[in-house]
Amino acid sequence: MKSAWGWFLLAPPLVLALVFFVVPLVYLFWVSLHASSTSELYGAALTLRNYSDVLADSFYLTIVRRTLGVAAVILGLCLLIGYPVAYFVALLPVRRRMLAILLLLFPLMVSNVVRAYGWVSLLERRGVVNSTLRDLHLIDAPLDLLYTPSAVVIALMTILLPYMVISIANTLAALDRRYQEAAQALGASPLRTFLHVTLPLSTPGIASGTLLVFLLTLSAYVTITLLGGPRSKLLVSLIYDSVTAFQWPRAAALAFVLLALALAFTGLILALLRPGRVQGAGR
Amino acid sequence: MSAPGPSPQLASRTRGERAEQHPADVQLVGVRKRFGGVVAVNDVSVEIPRGTIFSLLGPSGCGKTTTLRLVAGFEQPDAGEVYIRGARVTSMPPYRRDFSMVFQSYALFPHLTVAQNVAFGLRMRRVARGDRARGVDEALELVKLRALADRYPRQLSGGQQQRVALARAIVVKPAVLLLDEPLGALDKLLREEMQVELRSLQQRLGITAVFVTHDQEEALTLSDRVAVMRNGVIEQIGAPREIYDRPRNAFVASFLGASNFIDGVVVAREAASIVVETPGTRISVPGDKAAGERVRIAVRPERLRMARTDAHGLPATIRDIVYRGPVTHFYLDSASGPLLAYQQNARAGDWTIGDEVRCAWDADSAVVLDGARE
Amino acid sequence: MKAALSAGSMLRGTATTIAFALIVVPILIVVVAAFSPNDYFQFPPPGFSLRWFVEFFGLQTMRDAFVLSIELALASATIATILGTLAALFLARRHGAIAALLQSLFLAPLVFPTLILGVALLLLYKTIGMPVFPGLLLAHCIVGMPYGFRTVLASAQALDPALEEAGQSLGADPLRTLFLVTLPLIWPGVLSGWLFAFIVSFGELNTALFLTGPGVTTLPIEIFSYLQFTGSQLVIAAASSVQIALIVILVAVIERVVGIARITRAR
Ligand SMILES: Nc1ncnc2c1ncn2[C@@H]1O[C@H](COP(=O)(O)OP(=O)(O)O)[C@@H](O)[C@H]1O
Ligand SMILES: [Mg+2]
């Protein structure tokens, strides 16, 4: 009786998640292990060529390196800007803190294509930045700001920054003030209190913000394409290009290379920050 | 602790004849339940006759709630059977069993008014609208809350919420009413008031009830029968007076209130009693033990009488005197260890600390416990 | 020490101002640009006009994409929330390894690179011959389900378990307990889950990128294609503003119905 009810609840979402999430990924992996074919989606022969090609080809490696580089810069900036902002937000009185977080959340609800377009209209040759600089007579000819790796970095960084701020701010706001007070009562200066108490206790927020920003950077195809243009391609662009070229096994292998990067990074962050060790320090 | 025992009128209701007149409304047979490594309920068998209140009494974590939830069907026993009104319900889901329940948190539906809360069970039983309204009215009348029928639970005080929970449970006229520490959240005064009210309501309606509590006074006040539990096992079942006056072991004796324990060796057997040699004196107690056996005797502090040194009894010295309003507590030292005596202040003698006394009691005030040592 | 303190708070204040500007300005620019009277956006704007909105609704493809996006968001948010609610009710009181695994499975699309899911689904759909709209709908359900699941899980776990037992003790079977006790009490969680799923579906890019087809395109994808193939024109600003306006309305609805606190906690 009880288990019949349990299945009634579990079966529909489980079936959806299995059939349209797990199965397609397993299938994609299966396809990544096959040779390509001109007539079929994928060839009959099992092979690891798709992976070895990626790892051997300097073109792909350059792109992988560029992807990681861009992600690292974005992540660094997000942490550098995000932590003080989160600290500021966390110290606000409840009502204003909620307002600030709402202000950070709202942009996340707007489609990324709209936010990327906002940056395009700022950075393009006839965009706001160039026309303002020209009006101020600081430049004569418009600068080529768009279609550069820097454009990708600044746009993606600001698009993803709210995730970092909200993650850290929520952890900080939930921190029991008494930890800091205890440290100060023991004679720690504000700086040392921050370094030895606040910062370690906020690692869960740092970890989840870092993971969100990194994972979302990896698959931000639309932003990368609109701001990076054809010359600043990253790993996702290659996946998209392979799909549009009907190179399914190649696309699949690249997808799993990306997934492997994501997993490796997740493992690294969890091992480095060990957010679990201070979990539950909140109120 | 100052006024132990139920009123004579309540305690005199005997259980035997009633049990024979009516079948048991609830019956547990060898019920066992474990959670992982914890045996929450271990081989419990009880029968609860119609129209009686049965209390499960014991310290926190002893398995009272689990026992109640086994009756309700919220838990499935690992072994044993559960019967309600003679029907085997062991594998029946809760919503098909004939019971209702008052929860410790009251669990009033916050989105429904008082009247809608009380009507809920009648709705589930597809009672016609008119009868439903009448039933709700009557039930609210019984708990004196008709005026608040349209309020929401959050607009009520704790005591009022408790009454709504009770009305909601009795309106469906269940075969058995289960109550899990229903008065635990109330303050002392209100709790005592509700105990009396609950008892009179139960008797007027002839409800069969299982009452879980960790408060010994509450159990003694309310119940026809009490089961004292420890570690999932029922240590003793009996009428309140029986449990209080004739505890079977040291756990039951001390859980129901303060008790003096005196260890000794049986030196002689008489018709219905034994003579025990203790460090201070020889004591005669009702019981049947072999000579030479080590035994432990329990005597309630209010049974202990203190007399001058020229009287017979256990020699002791007064270590401390604590005035407690209606009674005074005397802390004594004796060769058998520390003793405690209560004296009604109305007839308390003028003792001072350091006085030598003799302690005595009526022979039938002492009990020989099972398992000489804990 | 005092000086260090105020330097620290000045740093935080400056960083916050810059950060909010960087986050909000690109969105504001789009809205301002949408009301331009000129062919090109000038700052500060020389006037005010609705011509780009007129043009937006005059373009068949844009209009169709807008309508499809709304239909898709309504349908997928509803399905995703129902399924997420079922999953949350199943897991609310269950513990242990299997429950933890199921929970990760239902939350996975939140952090999983959805672009890869899009590729994988396209491949599957090609193999089994799935029509475009249902395929897109299912993808959006997968992406939206974690939101309904998460908000309902939080609500259901905050619910006193005795309430459901009280329902059963009064004779309500599980289905009736669900409809008469549980759902009315977790309703705010269900509703905010639905609104989040709607918003996510309405702005979704990474799976729609692969799964839209000729004549079946969502607004974000239409904006993206237009930007790629026709270029940055102000009709896009109008389209984007329509997107933003709808979200403003939804956020206001959330605030009215379930309160601001629930939104700020949900992410
Ligand atoms: N659902 C459960 N899961 C695991 N252990 C439980 C559960 N319910 C009760 N227990 C354990 O069973 C024992 C008895 O619990 P309970 O019946 O609630 O005691 P009481 O009501 O007498 O305080 C306790 O050790 C408790 O921790
Ligand atoms: Mg209990």
Side-chain angles (χ1 to χ4, degrees), chain A residues 113-206:
Chain A
V113 72
V114 171
R115 302 180 69 195
Y117 168 65
W119 277 108
V120 169
S121 57
L122 278 169
L123 300 180
E124 63 190 339
R125 287 178 69 86
R126 304 167 93 158
V128 177
V129 172
N130 272 321
S131 56
T132 308
L133 290 177
R134 222 158 27 170
D135 289 348
L136 294 174
H137 301 292
L138 290 173
I139 52 170
D140 301 323
L143 302 172
D144 279 321
L145 300 170
L146 206 55
Y147 305 138
T148 58
S150 314
V152 173
V153 166
I154 181 126
L156 254 186
M157 190 275 284
T158 56
I159 287 175
L160 300 177
L161 184 58
Y163 286 107
M164 184 67 87
V165 176
I166 293 171
S167 297
I168 298 176
N170 280 341
T171 310
L172 284 176
L175 265 194
D176 196 329
R177 248 323 105 64
R178 279 171 302 184
Y179 292 122
Q180 278 118 313
E181 286 166 7
Q184 306 218 342
L186 293 169
S189 68
L191 183 66
R192 295 181 62 157
T193 304
F194 175 78
L195 287 178
H196 295 292
V197 178
T198 314
L199 193 61
L201 286 177
S202 59
T203 44
I206 297 176

Side-chain angles (χ1 to χ4, degrees), chain B residues 180-194:
Chain B
D180 191 358
E181 314 221 5
L183 310 179
L186 305 179
D187 61 50
K188 189 171 159 60
L189 226 61
L190 199 54
R191 190 161 66 225
E192 285 172 0
E193 202 180 301
M194 279 305 296

Side-chain angles (χ1 to χ4, degrees), chain A residues 2-181:
Chain A
K2 206 165 179 170
S3 74
W5 177 247
W7 279 113
F8 168 80
L9 293 175
L10 179 61
L14 186 61
V15 166
L16 183 79
L18 288 179
V19 175
F20 293 99
F21 184 60
V22 177
V23 165
L25 292 173
V26 172
Y27 183 45
L28 189 70
F29 186 63
W30 175 244
V31 169
S32 78
L33 299 177
H34 286 77
S36 58
S37 156
T38 44
S39 53
E40 306 286 318
L41 289 174
Y42 56 95
L46 273 173
T47 173
L48 284 174
R49 274 283 301 279
N50 301 306
Y51 290 99
S52 58
D53 279 0
V54 172
L55 298 178
D57 191 324
S58 68
F59 170 68
Y60 287 120
L61 289 181
T62 309
I63 300 266
V64 166
R65 229 173 285 130
R66 186 192 296 159
T67 303
L68 289 177
V70 165
V73 174
I74 289 174
L75 194 54
L77 286 173
C78 274
L79 275 171
L80 211 65
I81 302 176
Y83 202 100
V85 175
Y87 205 103
F88 182 85
V89 169
L91 288 180
L92 290 173
V94 179
R95 211 44 231 177
R96 287 174 59 195
R97 183 167 75 227
M98 280 192 190
L99 213 70
I101 291 191
L102 188 66
L103 208 61
L104 290 165
L105 262 176
F106 176 74
L108 296 183
M109 301 181 186
V110 174
S111 183
N112 278 357
V113 72
V114 171
R115 302 180 69 195
Y117 168 65
W119 277 108
V120 169
S121 57
L122 278 169
L123 300 180
E124 63 190 339
R125 287 178 69 86
R126 304 167 93 158
V128 177
V129 172
N130 272 321
S131 56
T132 308
L133 290 177
R134 222 158 27 170
D135 289 348
L136 294 174
H137 301 292
L138 290 173
I139 52 170
D140 301 323
L143 302 172
D144 279 321
L145 300 170
L146 206 55
Y147 305 138
T148 58
S150 314
V152 173
V153 166
I154 181 126
L156 254 186
M157 190 275 284
T158 56
I159 287 175
L160 300 177
L161 184 58
Y163 286 107
M164 184 67 87
V165 176
I166 293 171
S167 297
I168 298 176
N170 280 341
T171 310
L172 284 176
L175 265 194
D176 196 329
R177 248 323 105 64
R178 279 171 302 184
Y179 292 122
Q180 278 118 313
E181 286 166 7

